[in-house]
């Protein structure tokens, strides 16, 4: 799919990148990181200009975030009703709630570029929860700027090794998620043991 989307961007220009990133940040699973790496590679080869594509990418990502936030804000009652019947939606929103309650503004920022799979759900939850639109937009745009500029920059620097860099970043992302999962499980185990010890001592 990435190859077809890159061809589309070459044919339609920055507008296509805007639409792809908007849909991706709204929840459509496109291989956007690889696409931005490829664009950075084309910039290094002087086939594309960096600024128009960075601007379009950032605007598209921000538009996708805002769409998710608006959905949560405008349809919160309906989404709560659906979540009561659809277990997958309830689980996704609960995960976003736990992450956001723990990290606050930093959670929005980090879910734009470091833990991007959480991004669409964080957007919807923030809207449903009445999260400050100004704070949401500020931290969201900062995070998206790092995401778009970072991947395009890596594509520019490692123009001849785009696929290798993409695989490496994918492995790093899974490593981070695995470490976080292990820390969470360890924390729960310690908490359970502590509570059990307290009960036994009573």
């Amino acid at each position: 799919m990435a190859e077809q989307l890159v061809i589309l961007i070459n044919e339609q220009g920055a507008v296509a990148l805007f639409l792809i990133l908007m849909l991706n940040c709204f929840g459509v699973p496109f291989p956007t990181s690889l696409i931005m790496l490829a664009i950075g590679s084309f910039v290094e080869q002087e086939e594309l200009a960096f600024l128009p594509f960075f601007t379009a990418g950032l605007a598209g990502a921000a538009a996708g975030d805002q769409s998710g936030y608006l959905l949560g804000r405008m349809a919160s009652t309906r989404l709560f009703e659906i979540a009561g019947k659809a277990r997958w939606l309830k689980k996704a929103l609960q995960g976003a709630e736990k992450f956001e309650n723990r990290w606050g503004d930093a959670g929005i920022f980090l879910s734009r570029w470091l833990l991007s799979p959480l991004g669409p759900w964080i957007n919807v939850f923030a809207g449903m929860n009445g999260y400050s639109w100004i704070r949401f937009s500020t931290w969201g745009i900062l995070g998206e700027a790092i995401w778009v500029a970072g991947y395009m920059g890596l594509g520019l620097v490692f123009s001849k090794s785009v696929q290798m860099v993409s695989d490496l970043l994918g492995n790093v992302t899974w490593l981070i998620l695995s470490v976080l999962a292990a820390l969470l499980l360890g924390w729960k185990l310690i908490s359970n043991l502590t509570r059990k010890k307290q009960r036994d001592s009573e």
Side-chain angles (χ1 to χ4, degrees):
M1 179 184 288
E3 183 178 352
Q4 287 78 8
L5 292 175
V6 170
I7 293 173
L8 178 64
I9 291 170
N10 276 326
E11 293 175 349
Q12 304 299 326
V15 173
L17 180 63
F18 172 90
L19 293 173
I20 290 169
L21 291 196
M22 181 182 71
L23 291 172
N24 178 250
C25 290
F26 188 66
V28 180
F30 288 141
T32 47
S33 297
L34 182 56
I35 290 169
M36 289 186 289
L37 286 169
I39 290 174
S41 177
F42 292 142
V43 169
E44 195 278 334
Q45 298 169 35
E46 299 183 352
E47 295 181 20
L48 298 175
F50 179 84
L51 187 58
F53 282 88
F54 168 76
T55 303
L58 177 58
D65 292 342
Q66 294 294 323
S67 299
Y69 179 90
L70 183 62
L71 174 65
R73 197 66 177 263
M74 300 294 291
S76 59
T77 302
R78 180 58 179 159
L79 288 171
F80 276 121
E81 291 176 355
I82 296 174
K85 301 176 182 178
R87 187 175 179 181
W88 64 270
L89 179 58
K90 182 178 180 180
K91 186 176 181 180
L93 292 174
Q94 285 178 338
E97 180 179 12
K98 290 179 181 178
F99 184 79
E100 184 55 30
N101 287 342
R102 181 174 179 81
W103 296 102
D105 292 340
I108 294 174
F109 176 71
L110 293 173
S111 65
R112 305 305 97 175
W113 58 279
L114 181 60
L115 300 170
S116 53
L118 287 174
W121 297 112
I122 294 290
N123 299 341
V124 174
F125 171 75
M128 294 174 67
N129 201 40
Y131 198 87
S132 167
W133 177 78
I134 293 177
R135 286 163 57 194
F136 172 82
S137 299
T138 300
W139 288 104
I141 290 172
L142 285 173
E144 297 295 12
I146 290 177
W147 180 54
V148 176
Y151 273 98
M152 287 188 182
L154 284 172
L156 194 154
V157 173
F158 298 98
S159 177
K160 297 180 180 179
S161 307
V162 167
Q163 184 62 54
M164 180 187 71
V165 173
S166 175
D167 293 340
L168 176 62
L169 289 172
N171 292 334
V172 170
T173 299
W174 281 112
L175 175 62
I176 292 172
L177 291 175
S178 298
V179 170
L180 289 174
L183 290 174
L184 179 61
L185 290 173
W187 175 77
K188 285 187 174 182
L189 177 60
I190 292 173
S191 298
N192 291 335
L193 290 174
T194 301
R195 285 196 296 267
K196 185 177 183 301
K197 186 177 181 180
Q198 290 175 345
R199 288 196 300 268
D200 292 343
S201 62
E202 293 173 357

